[in-house]
């Protein structure tokens, strides 16, 4: 996400952050098991792109995901109140394997 050139924050952005920016948050975790042992932890993260703009601003983030082979779900848009501004929050989810 950092390679997109857009500021990235975990869980919340500081009130001084300029739009657009990205916030990622842990959602849940699955496990890949075999022989009653956990082989892989697979955390799911919500990725929120916060902007006062439009969906075309997602291009650098999508390009970064695609360039690095990161599978992501479709983006959905929601109006959102952030620091007393009404902005758009574009949300997707990414499952990682570690």
């Amino acid at each position: 996400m950092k390679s997109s050139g857009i500021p990235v924050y975990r869980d919340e952005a500081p009130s001084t952050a300029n739009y657009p920016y990205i916030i990622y948050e842990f959602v849940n975790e699955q496990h890949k098991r075999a022989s009653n042992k956990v082989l892989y932890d697979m955390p799911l993260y919500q990725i929120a792109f916060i902007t006062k703009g439009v969906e075309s601003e997602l291009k650098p983030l999508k390009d970064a995901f695609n360039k690095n082979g990161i599978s992501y779900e479709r983006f959905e848009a929601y109006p959102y109140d952030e620091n007393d501004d009404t902005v758009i929050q574009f949300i997707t989810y990414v499952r990682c394997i570690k």
Side-chain angles (χ1 to χ4, degrees):
M1 291 184 293
K2 290 180 181 179
S3 69
S4 71
I6 301 163
V8 177
Y9 304 99
R10 174 146 187 166
D11 297 324
E12 67 180 304
S15 60
T16 57
N18 294 320
Y19 304 112
Y21 55 82
I22 298 166
I23 297 176
Y24 70 99
E25 300 173 288
F26 175 82
V27 175
N28 66 36
E29 184 174 67
Q30 293 179 353
H31 300 105
K32 181 70 170 175
R33 296 178 177 268
S35 301
N36 206 25
K37 294 180 182 177
V38 174
L39 300 177
Y40 303 106
D41 293 323
M42 300 184 313
L44 178 70
Y45 292 93
Q46 174 183 287
I47 313 299
F49 181 88
I50 312 295
T51 183
K52 285 187 169 186
V54 296
E55 66 277 5
S56 61
E57 290 184 13
L58 289 168
K59 186 172 179 356
L61 178 58
K62 288 180 176 181
D63 288 348
F65 283 158
N66 293 330
K67 179 181 177 186
N68 291 288
I70 306 297
S71 223
Y72 58 94
E73 294 184 18
R74 66 188 172 101
F75 280 88
E76 295 186 20
Y78 301 96
Y80 185 76
D81 289 329
E82 178 87 353
N83 302 322
D84 297 324
D85 285 331
T86 300
V87 295
I88 300 295
Q89 177 175 247
F90 293 97
I91 297 201
T92 190
Y93 293 90
V94 172
R95 178 135 345 244
C96 302
I97 297 177
K98 52 181 191 170

